[in-house]
Coordinates of all heavy atoms in Angstrom, one line a residue:
M1285 N 0.8 -1.2 0.0 CA 0.0 0.0 0.0 C 0.9 1.2 0.0 O 1.9 1.3 0.7 CB -0.9 0.0 1.2 CG -1.8 1.2 1.4 SD -2.6 1.3 2.9 CE -3.1 -0.4 3.3
T1286 N 0.6 2.2 -0.8 CA 1.3 3.5 -0.9 C 0.6 4.5 -0.1 O -0.6 4.7 -0.1 CB 1.4 3.9 -2.3 OG1 2.1 3.0 -3.2 CG2 2.2 5.3 -2.4
R1287 N 1.3 5.1 0.8 CA 0.7 6.1 1.7 C 1.3 7.5 1.4 O 2.6 7.6 1.2 CB 1.0 5.8 3.2 CG 0.3 4.6 3.6 CD 0.8 4.3 5.0 NE -0.1 3.3 5.6 CZ 0.3 2.5 6.7 NH1 1.4 2.7 7.3 NH2 -0.6 1.7 7.2
G1288 N 0.5 8.4 1.2 CA 0.9 9.8 0.9 C 1.6 10.4 2.1 O 1.3 10.0 3.2
A1289 N 2.5 11.4 1.9 CA 3.2 12.1 2.9 C 2.2 12.6 3.9 O 2.6 12.8 5.1 CB 4.2 13.0 2.4
D1290 N 1.0 13.1 3.4 CA 0.2 13.8 4.3 C -1.0 12.9 4.9 O -1.9 13.4 5.5 CB -0.5 15.0 3.6 CG -1.2 14.6 2.3 OD1 -1.1 13.4 2.0 OD2 -1.9 15.4 1.8
T1291 N -0.9 11.6 4.7 CA -1.8 10.7 5.2 C -1.9 10.7 6.7 O -0.8 10.5 7.3 CB -1.6 9.3 4.7 OG1 -1.6 9.2 3.2 CG2 -2.6 8.3 5.3
E1292 N -3.0 10.9 7.3 CA -3.1 10.8 8.7 C -3.4 9.4 9.2 O -4.4 8.8 8.9 CB -4.3 11.8 9.2 CG -4.5 11.7 10.7 CD -3.7 12.8 11.4 OE1 -4.1 13.9 11.4 OE2 -2.7 12.3 12.0
L1293 N -2.4 8.8 9.9 CA -2.6 7.5 10.5 C -3.2 7.6 11.8 O -2.9 8.5 12.6 CB -1.3 6.8 10.5 CG -0.5 6.6 9.2 CD1 0.8 5.8 9.3 CD2 -1.4 5.9 8.1
V1294 N -4.1 6.7 12.1 CA -4.9 6.8 13.4 C -4.7 5.5 14.2 O -4.5 4.4 13.7 CB -6.3 7.1 13.2 CG1 -6.6 8.4 12.5 CG2 -7.0 5.9 12.4
V1295 N -4.7 5.7 15.5 CA -4.9 4.6 16.4 C -6.2 4.7 17.1 O -6.8 5.7 17.3 CB -3.7 4.5 17.5 CG1 -2.3 4.3 16.7 CG2 -3.6 5.8 18.2
V1296 N -6.7 3.5 17.5 CA -8.0 3.5 18.2 C -7.8 3.1 19.7 O -7.0 2.2 20.0 CB -9.0 2.4 17.6 CG1 -10.3 2.5 18.2 CG2 -9.0 2.5 16.1
R1297 N -8.5 3.9 20.5 CA -8.4 3.6 22.0 C -9.8 3.2 22.4 O -10.8 3.8 22.0 CB -8.0 4.7 22.8 CG -6.5 5.1 22.4 CD -5.9 6.2 23.4 NE -4.6 6.6 22.8 CZ -4.0 7.8 23.1 NH1 -4.7 8.7 23.7 NH2 -2.8 8.1 22.6
V1298 N -9.9 2.1 23.3 CA -11.1 1.6 23.7 C -11.1 1.9 25.3 O -10.1 1.4 26.0 CB -11.2 0.1 23.5 CG1 -12.6 -0.4 24.2 CG2 -11.3 -0.2 22.1
D1299 N -12.0 2.6 25.8 CA -12.1 2.8 27.2 C -12.8 1.6 27.8 O -14.0 1.4 27.7 CB -13.0 4.0 27.5 CG -13.1 4.4 29.0 OD1 -12.9 3.5 29.8 OD2 -13.3 5.6 29.4
R1300 N -12.0 0.7 28.3 CA -12.5 -0.6 28.7 C -13.4 -0.5 30.0 O -14.1 -1.5 30.3 CB -11.4 -1.6 28.9 CG -10.7 -1.8 27.5 CD -9.4 -2.6 27.8 NE -9.7 -4.0 28.2 CZ -10.0 -4.9 27.3 NH1 -10.3 -4.7 26.1 NH2 -10.3 -6.1 27.8
D1301 N -13.3 0.6 30.7 CA -14.2 0.8 31.8 C -15.7 1.2 31.4 O -16.7 1.0 32.0 CB -13.7 1.9 32.7 CG -12.5 1.5 33.5 OD1 -12.3 0.2 33.7 OD2 -11.6 2.4 33.8
R1302 N -15.8 1.7 30.1 CA -17.0 2.1 29.5 C -17.6 1.0 28.7 O -18.8 0.8 28.6 CB -16.9 3.3 28.6 CG -16.7 4.6 29.5 CD -16.8 5.7 28.4 NE -16.6 7.0 29.1 CZ -17.3 8.1 28.8 NH1 -18.2 8.1 27.9 NH2 -17.1 9.2 29.5
C1303 N -16.8 0.2 27.9 CA -17.3 -0.7 26.9 C -18.2 -1.8 27.6 O -17.8 -2.3 28.6 CB -16.1 -1.4 26.3 SG -16.5 -2.7 25.1
I1304 N -19.3 -2.0 26.9 CA -20.2 -3.0 27.4 C -20.3 -4.2 26.5 O -21.2 -5.1 26.7 CB -21.7 -2.4 27.6 CG1 -22.2 -1.8 26.2 CG2 -21.7 -1.3 28.7 CD1 -23.6 -1.3 26.3
G1305 N -19.4 -4.3 25.5 CA -19.4 -5.5 24.7 C -20.6 -5.7 23.8 O -20.8 -6.8 23.4
S1306 N -21.2 -4.6 23.3 CA -22.3 -4.7 22.4 C -21.9 -5.2 21.1 O -22.7 -5.8 20.4 CB -22.9 -3.3 22.2 OG -22.1 -2.5 21.4
G1307 N -20.7 -5.1 20.7 CA -20.2 -5.5 19.4 C -20.5 -4.7 18.2 O -20.2 -5.1 17.1
M1308 N -21.1 -3.6 18.4 CA -21.6 -2.7 17.3 C -20.3 -2.2 16.5 O -20.4 -2.2 15.3 CB -22.2 -1.4 17.9 CG -23.5 -1.7 18.6 SD -24.9 -1.9 17.6 CE -25.2 -0.3 17.1
C1309 N -19.3 -1.9 17.2 CA -18.0 -1.4 16.5 C -17.4 -2.5 15.6 O -16.9 -2.2 14.5 CB -17.1 -0.8 17.5 SG -16.5 -2.0 18.7
A1310 N -17.4 -3.7 16.1 CA -16.8 -4.8 15.3 C -17.6 -5.1 14.1 O -17.1 -5.5 13.0 CB -16.7 -6.0 16.1
L1311 N -18.9 -4.8 14.1 CA -19.7 -4.9 12.9 C -19.5 -3.8 11.9 O -19.4 -4.1 10.8 CB -21.2 -5.0 13.3 CG -21.6 -6.2 14.0 CD1 -23.1 -6.1 14.4 CD2 -21.6 -7.4 13.1
S1312 N -19.3 -2.6 12.5 CA -19.1 -1.4 11.5 C -17.7 -1.4 11.0 O -17.5 -1.0 9.8 CB -19.3 -0.2 12.4 OG -20.6 0.0 12.7
A1313 N -16.7 -1.8 11.8 CA -15.3 -1.8 11.4 C -14.6 -3.1 11.6 O -13.7 -3.2 12.5 CB -14.7 -0.6 12.0
P1314 N -15.0 -4.2 11.0 CA -14.4 -5.4 11.3 C -12.8 -5.6 10.9 O -12.2 -6.5 11.4 CB -15.2 -6.5 10.4 CG -15.8 -5.6 9.3 CD -16.0 -4.3 9.9
D1315 N -12.4 -4.6 10.1 CA -11.0 -4.6 9.8 C -10.1 -3.8 10.8 O -9.0 -3.8 10.7 CB -10.8 -4.0 8.3 CG -11.4 -2.6 8.3 OD1 -12.2 -2.2 9.1 OD2 -11.1 -1.9 7.3
S1316 N -10.9 -3.2 11.8 CA -10.2 -2.4 12.7 C -10.4 -2.8 14.2 O -9.5 -2.6 15.0 CB -10.7 -0.9 12.7 OG -10.7 -0.5 11.2
L1317 N -11.5 -3.4 14.4 CA -11.9 -3.7 15.9 C -12.4 -5.1 15.9 O -13.2 -5.6 15.0 CB -12.9 -2.7 16.4 CG -12.4 -1.3 16.7 CD1 -13.5 -0.3 16.4 CD2 -11.8 -1.2 18.0
A1318 N -12.3 -5.7 17.1 CA -12.9 -7.1 17.3 C -13.1 -7.2 18.8 O -12.6 -6.5 19.6 CB -11.9 -8.2 16.8
L1319 N -14.1 -8.1 19.1 CA -14.2 -8.4 20.5 C -13.2 -9.4 21.0 O -12.9 -10.4 20.3 CB -15.7 -8.9 20.8 CG -16.8 -8.0 20.5 CD1 -18.2 -8.6 21.0 CD2 -16.7 -6.7 21.2
G1320 N -12.6 -9.1 22.2 CA -11.6 -10.0 22.7 C -12.2 -11.2 23.4 O -13.5 -11.2 23.6
A1321 N -11.4 -12.0 24.0 CA -11.9 -13.2 24.7 C -12.6 -12.8 26.0 O -13.5 -13.4 26.5 CB -10.7 -14.1 25.1
D1322 N -12.3 -11.5 26.5 CA -13.1 -11.0 27.7 C -14.4 -10.4 27.3 O -15.1 -9.8 28.1 CB -12.2 -10.1 28.4 CG -11.8 -8.8 27.6 OD1 -12.1 -8.8 26.4 OD2 -11.1 -7.9 28.0
G1323 N -14.8 -10.4 26.0 CA -16.1 -9.8 25.6 C -16.1 -8.4 25.3 O -17.0 -7.8 24.9
L1324 N -14.9 -7.7 25.5 CA -14.8 -6.2 25.3 C -14.0 -5.9 23.9 O -13.3 -6.8 23.5 CB -14.0 -5.6 26.4 CG -14.7 -5.8 27.8 CD1 -13.8 -5.1 28.9 CD2 -16.1 -5.3 27.8
A1325 N -14.3 -4.8 23.4 CA -13.7 -4.4 22.2 C -12.2 -4.2 22.3 O -11.8 -3.7 23.4 CB -14.3 -3.2 21.6
A1326 N -11.4 -4.5 21.2 CA -10.0 -4.2 21.2 C -9.7 -3.9 19.8 O -10.2 -4.5 18.9 CB -9.2 -5.4 21.7
P1327 N -8.8 -2.9 19.6 CA -8.3 -2.6 18.2 C -7.4 -3.7 17.7 O -6.7 -4.3 18.5 CB -7.6 -1.3 18.4 CG -7.2 -1.2 19.9 CD -8.3 -2.0 20.6
L1328 N -7.5 -4.0 16.4 CA -6.7 -4.9 15.8 C -5.3 -4.3 15.7 O -5.1 -3.1 15.9 CB -7.1 -5.3 14.4 CG -8.6 -6.0 14.4 CD1 -9.0 -6.4 13.0 CD2 -8.5 -7.2 15.3
A1329 N -4.3 -5.1 15.5 CA -2.8 -4.7 15.7 C -2.5 -3.4 15.0 O -1.9 -2.5 15.8 CB -1.9 -5.8 15.2
D1330 N -2.8 -3.2 13.8 CA -2.4 -2.0 13.1 C -2.9 -0.8 13.8 O -2.3 0.3 13.8 CB -2.8 -2.0 11.6 CG -1.9 -2.9 10.8 OD1 -0.9 -3.4 11.3 OD2 -2.2 -3.1 9.6
F1331 N -4.2 -0.9 14.3 CA -4.8 0.3 14.9 C -4.5 0.5 16.4 O -4.9 1.4 16.9 CB -6.4 0.1 14.7 CG -6.8 0.4 13.3 CD1 -6.9 -0.7 12.4 CD2 -7.1 1.6 12.8 CE1 -7.2 -0.5 11.0 CE2 -7.4 1.8 11.5 CZ -7.4 0.8 10.7
A1332 N -3.7 -0.5 16.9 CA -3.4 -0.4 18.3 C -1.9 0.2 18.4 O -1.6 0.9 19.4 CB -3.4 -1.7 19.0
D1333 N -1.1 -0.1 17.4 CA 0.3 0.2 17.5 C 0.7 1.4 16.6 O 0.7 2.5 17.0 CB 1.1 -1.0 17.3 CG 0.8 -2.1 18.2 OD1 0.5 -1.8 19.4 OD2 0.8 -3.3 17.9
G1334 N 1.1 1.0 15.4 CA 1.8 2.0 14.5 C 0.7 2.9 13.9 O 1.0 4.0 13.5
G1335 N -0.5 2.5 13.9 CA -1.5 3.3 13.3 C -1.8 2.9 11.8 O -1.0 2.3 11.2
A1336 N -3.0 3.1 11.4 CA -3.4 2.8 10.1 C -4.3 3.8 9.5 O -4.8 4.6 10.2 CB -4.1 1.4 10.1
E1337 N -4.6 3.7 8.2 CA -5.5 4.8 7.6 C -6.9 4.7 8.1 O -7.5 3.7 8.3 CB -5.4 4.5 6.1 CG -4.1 4.9 5.5 CD -4.1 4.9 4.0 OE1 -5.1 5.3 3.4 OE2 -3.0 4.4 3.4
L1338 N -7.4 5.9 8.3 CA -8.8 6.1 8.8 C -9.8 5.6 7.7 O -9.6 5.9 6.6 CB -9.0 7.6 9.1 CG -10.4 8.0 9.6 CD1 -10.7 7.2 10.9 CD2 -10.5 9.4 9.7
T1339 N -10.7 4.8 8.1 CA -11.7 4.3 7.3 C -13.1 4.9 7.6 O -13.3 5.2 8.8 CB -11.8 2.7 7.2 OG1 -12.3 2.4 8.5 CG2 -10.5 2.1 6.9
D1340 N -14.1 4.8 6.7 CA -15.4 5.2 7.0 C -16.0 4.4 8.0 O -16.7 4.8 8.9 CB -16.2 5.2 5.7 CG -15.9 6.3 4.7 OD1 -15.3 7.2 5.1 OD2 -16.3 6.1 3.5
G1341 N -15.7 3.0 8.0 CA -16.3 2.1 9.0 C -15.8 2.4 10.4 O -16.6 2.4 11.4
L1342 N -14.6 3.0 10.5 CA -14.0 3.3 11.9 C -14.8 4.5 12.3 O -15.1 4.6 13.6 CB -12.6 3.5 11.7 CG -11.8 3.5 13.0 CD1 -12.1 2.4 13.8 CD2 -10.3 3.5 12.6
T1343 N -15.0 5.5 11.4 CA -15.7 6.7 11.9 C -17.1 6.3 12.3 O -17.7 6.9 13.3 CB -15.8 7.7 10.8 OG1 -14.4 8.1 10.4 CG2 -16.5 9.0 11.2
E1344 N -17.7 5.4 11.5 CA -19.1 5.0 11.9 C -19.0 4.2 13.2 O -20.0 4.4 14.1 CB -19.5 4.0 10.8 CG -21.0 3.6 11.0 CD -21.4 2.6 9.8 OE1 -21.0 2.9 8.7 OE2 -22.0 1.6 10.1
A1345 N -18.1 3.5 13.5 CA -18.0 2.7 14.8 C -17.9 3.7 15.9 O -18.6 3.5 17.0 CB -16.8 1.8 14.8
V1346 N -17.1 4.8 15.8 CA -17.0 5.7 16.9 C -18.4 6.4 17.1 O -18.8 6.6 18.3 CB -15.9 6.8 16.6 CG1 -16.0 7.9 17.6 CG2 -14.5 6.2 16.5
D1347 N -19.0 6.7 16.0 CA -20.3 7.4 16.2 C -21.4 6.5 16.8 O -22.3 6.9 17.4 CB -20.8 7.9 14.8 CG -19.9 9.0 14.3 OD1 -19.3 9.6 15.1 OD2 -20.1 9.3 13.1
C1348 N -21.3 5.1 16.5 CA -22.4 4.3 16.8 C -22.2 3.6 18.2 O -23.1 3.0 18.8 CB -22.7 3.2 15.9 SG -21.5 1.9 15.8
C1349 N -21.0 3.7 18.9 CA -20.8 3.1 20.1 C -21.8 3.8 21.2 O -21.9 5.0 21.4 CB -19.4 3.4 20.7 SG -19.1 2.7 22.3
P1350 N -22.6 2.9 21.8 CA -23.6 3.4 22.7 C -23.2 4.0 24.0 O -23.9 4.7 24.6 CB -24.6 2.2 23.0 CG -23.6 1.0 22.8 CD -22.6 1.4 21.7
V1351 N -21.9 3.9 24.3 CA -21.4 4.4 25.5 C -20.2 5.3 25.3 O -19.5 5.6 26.3 CB -21.1 3.2 26.5 CG1 -22.3 2.5 27.0 CG2 -20.1 2.2 25.9
E1352 N -19.9 5.7 24.1 CA -18.8 6.6 23.8 C -17.5 6.1 24.3 O -16.7 6.8 24.9 CB -19.2 8.0 24.2 CG -20.4 8.5 23.7 CD -20.8 9.9 24.2 OE1 -20.2 10.4 25.1 OE2 -21.7 10.5 23.6
A1353 N -17.2 4.8 24.1 CA -16.0 4.2 24.5 C -14.8 4.3 23.6 O -13.7 4.0 24.0 CB -16.2 2.7 24.9
L1354 N -15.1 4.7 22.3 CA -14.1 4.7 21.3 C -13.6 6.1 21.0 O -14.4 7.0 20.9 CB -14.6 4.1 20.0 CG -15.1 2.6 20.2 CD1 -15.7 2.2 18.8 CD2 -13.9 1.7 20.4
T1355 N -12.3 6.3 20.8 CA -11.7 7.5 20.4 C -10.6 7.2 19.4 O -9.9 6.2 19.5 CB -11.1 8.3 21.5 OG1 -10.3 7.6 22.3 CG2 -12.3 8.9 22.5
L1356 N -10.5 8.2 18.4 CA -9.4 8.0 17.4 C -8.4 9.0 17.7 O -8.7 10.2 18.0 CB -10.0 8.2 16.1 CG -11.2 7.3 15.6 CD1 -11.6 7.6 14.2 CD2 -10.8 5.8 15.8
H1357 N -7.1 8.6 17.6 CA -6.0 9.5 17.9 C -5.1 9.6 16.7 O -4.8 8.6 16.1 CB -5.3 9.2 19.1 CG -6.3 9.2 20.3 ND1 -6.2 10.2 21.2 CD2 -7.2 8.3 20.7 CE1 -7.2 10.0 22.1 NE2 -7.8 8.9 21.9
S1358 N -4.3 10.7 16.6 CA -3.2 10.7 15.6 C -2.1 9.7 16.1 O -1.7 9.7 17.2 CB -2.7 12.1 15.5 OG -1.4 12.0 14.9
A1359 N -1.7 8.9 15.1 CA -0.5 7.9 15.4 C 0.7 8.7 15.7 O 1.5 8.2 16.5 CB -0.4 6.9 14.3
R1360 N 0.9 9.8 15.1 CA 2.1 10.5 15.3 C 2.0 11.6 16.4 O 2.8 11.6 17.3 CB 2.5 11.3 13.9 CG 2.9 10.4 12.8 CD 3.5 11.2 11.7 NE 3.7 10.3 10.5 CZ 2.9 10.2 9.5 NH1 2.0 11.1 9.4 NH2 3.1 9.5 8.4
G1361 N 1.1 12.4 16.3 CA 1.0 13.4 17.4 C 0.2 13.0 18.7 O 0.5 13.7 19.7
G1362 N -0.6 12.0 18.6 CA -1.2 11.6 19.8 C -2.5 12.3 20.2 O -3.3 12.0 21.0
Y1363 N -2.8 13.4 19.4 CA -4.0 14.2 19.7 C -5.2 13.5 19.3 O -5.2 12.7 18.3 CB -3.8 15.6 19.1 CG -3.6 15.6 17.6 CD1 -4.5 15.4 16.7 CD2 -2.2 15.7 17.1 CE1 -4.2 15.5 15.3 CE2 -1.9 15.6 15.8 CZ -2.9 15.5 14.8 OH -2.6 15.5 13.6
R1364 N -6.3 13.9 19.9 CA -7.5 13.2 19.5 C -8.1 13.8 18.2 O -8.2 15.0 18.1 CB -8.6 13.5 20.7 CG -9.8 12.5 20.5 CD -10.6 12.4 21.8 NE -11.5 13.5 21.9 CZ -12.3 13.6 23.0 NH1 -12.2 12.8 24.0 NH2 -13.1 14.6 23.1
I1365 N -8.6 12.9 17.4 CA -9.2 13.3 16.1 C -10.7 13.2 16.1 O -11.4 14.1 15.7 CB -8.7 12.4 14.9 CG1 -7.2 12.6 14.9 CG2 -9.4 12.6 13.7 CD1 -6.5 11.5 13.9
D1366 N -11.2 12.1 16.8 CA -12.6 11.9 16.8 C -13.1 11.1 18.0 O -12.3 10.2 18.4 CB -13.0 11.0 15.5 CG -14.6 11.0 15.3 OD1 -15.3 11.9 15.8 OD2 -14.9 10.1 14.6
P1367 N -14.1 11.5 18.8 CA -14.8 12.8 18.6 C -13.9 14.0 18.9 O -13.0 13.9 19.7 CB -15.9 12.6 19.7 CG -15.9 11.3 20.2 CD -14.6 10.6 19.9
A1368 N -14.3 15.0 18.3 CA -13.6 16.3 18.4 C -13.8 16.7 19.9 O -14.7 16.5 20.5 CB -14.1 17.3 17.5
D1369 N -12.7 17.4 20.4 CA -12.8 18.0 21.8 C -14.0 18.9 21.9 O -14.4 19.7 20.9 CB -11.5 18.7 22.1 CG -10.5 17.6 22.5 OD1 -10.7 16.6 23.1 OD2 -9.3 17.9 22.1
Ligands
SF4_1657 S1 -19.6 -0.4 20.3 FE1 -18.7 0.5 22.2 S2 -19.7 -0.7 23.8 FE2 -19.9 -1.9 21.9 S3 -18.2 -3.2 21.8 FE3 -17.6 -1.4 20.7 S4 -16.6 -0.1 22.1 FE4 -17.7 -1.7 23.3

């Protein structure tokens, strides 16, 4: 995959104290999030570590989480991208 110099790579953070394991995010963004053995959401490797390109499904996952447990952050700067502050 070729990435442009200005591509914003994102990491996903799951507030595990909030997550209720509804699975909505894993349905919206199965390439980014999955439910772990403990029943709570966890980002897949690329979205947990180095960061990966933002997808529409990931934005939808953040929007549809019923307990606002998901946030997207810049992989380089660490600042929050979504939801906006
Ligand atoms: S949509 Fe929210 S509450 Fe449901 S599994 Fe994902 S992070 Fe957890």
Side-chain angles (χ1 to χ4, degrees):
M1285 179 190 316
T1286 301
R1287 290 172 170 162
D1290 58 351
T1291 299
E1292 177 86 81
L1293 301 182
V1294 299
V1295 294
V1296 186
R1297 293 184 190 156
V1298 180
D1299 184 336
R1300 298 173 66 79
D1301 291 331
R1302 286 187 180 220
C1303 177
I1304 56 172
S1306 70
M1308 303 276 289
C1309 58
L1311 288 175
S1312 296
D1315 54 348
S1316 312
L1317 289 148
L1319 294 186
D1322 60 0
L1324 301 180
L1328 300 182
D1330 286 352
F1331 289 90
D1333 300 326
E1337 289 184 39
L1338 181 61
T1339 64
D1340 289 344
L1342 196 48
T1343 300
E1344 184 181 318
V1346 171
D1347 289 345
C1348 76
C1349 176
V1351 293
E1352 299 179 353
L1354 298 172
T1355 51
L1356 304 182
H1357 300 259
S1358 164
R1360 292 196 187 99
Y1363 52 85
R1364 193 163 85 182
I1365 295 170
D1366 190 25
D1369 281 322

